[in-house]
Amino acid sequence: MTKLLLSLHVLASILAVGPITVAASMFPRYAKPPTPGDDGPHDHDLRTAAFLHTICRGYAVVGIAVPVLGLATGAQMGVLGDAWLMASIVLTTIAAALLMSMVLPGQRELLEEGEGEGEGPAGTGAGEDLAGTGAGPGALTVAERRSAAARLAMTTGMFNLLWATVVVLMIVRPGSTTGA
């Protein structure tokens, strides 16, 4: 049973957390507005950013299986009180909180602001504001949106670093009997 749970935990980690880390890392590049004078394909970039946000949201729901299977595996192995596992649980909780409180809302905010510029995602007309927040008095300037995209990239980097640390803890397992 331990091998089955461990296999499912590792598969869930790869198939759920992996896509989130990649999509979240790519998102800021596509969501930030072009530099002044740049005639780049911003509408296409916003559609790509919207797709990456959808990936992050969807896999975040599936990603709940990772800690659930991890706890079940730890219980089966009798290591729930080990320091490396406790540290992994804390780091996983911080990563999940960062994703839910900063990364996903930051992505949503940048998408809403981008839609208000008249270059909404596929299927919207020019100038149509899907979120109801676009080019009104509270809209962000291009410089503020670029700054928000940079902050989001940094936050995403912290999220990814937390997950990388958890992976290292899972492999090294300080004090383990595997000799690693």
Side-chain angles (χ1 to χ4, degrees):
M1 180 57 110
T2 301
K3 289 180 181 181
L4 174 64
L5 285 172
L6 182 58
S7 296
L8 291 174
H9 173 61
V10 170
L11 280 171
S13 298
I14 292 167
L15 297 176
V17 178
I20 295 171
T21 60
V22 172
S25 295
M26 293 173 61
F27 180 90
R29 175 187 182 273
Y30 290 99
K32 74 179 176 184
T35 56
D38 183 11
D39 293 334
H42 190 59
D43 187 39
H44 170 65
D45 288 350
L46 284 176
R47 284 194 303 268
T48 301
F51 178 66
L52 293 169
H53 177 64
T54 301
I55 290 171
C56 291
R57 274 193 342 231
Y59 280 97
V61 172
V62 175
I64 293 169
V66 176
V68 169
L69 289 166
L71 287 172
T73 302
Q76 184 72 26
M77 294 173 67
V79 295
L80 284 180
D82 288 7
W84 65 270
L85 187 59
M86 301 289 268
S88 294
I89 290 169
V90 168
L91 294 175
T92 297
T93 302
I94 294 169
L98 197 60
L99 178 68
M100 301 309 287
S101 69
M102 295 181 77
V103 174
L104 292 176
Q107 289 178 347
R108 187 171 41 254
E109 179 183 331
L110 282 170
L111 286 173
E112 289 171 353
E113 289 292 331
E115 290 168 356
E117 293 177 356
E119 298 181 7
T124 66
E128 191 175 336
D129 182 10
L130 294 178
T133 61
L140 297 176
T141 66
V142 171
E144 289 170 333
R145 285 194 54 231
R146 291 184 69 76
S147 179
R151 280 191 309 276
L152 181 60
M154 181 188 67
T155 304
T156 300
M158 292 184 323
F159 170 80
N160 292 344
L161 184 60
L162 287 166
W163 277 115
T165 304
V166 170
V167 168
V168 170
L169 284 171
M170 293 289 141
I171 294 169
V172 174
R173 296 181 355 196
S176 74
T177 58
T178 62

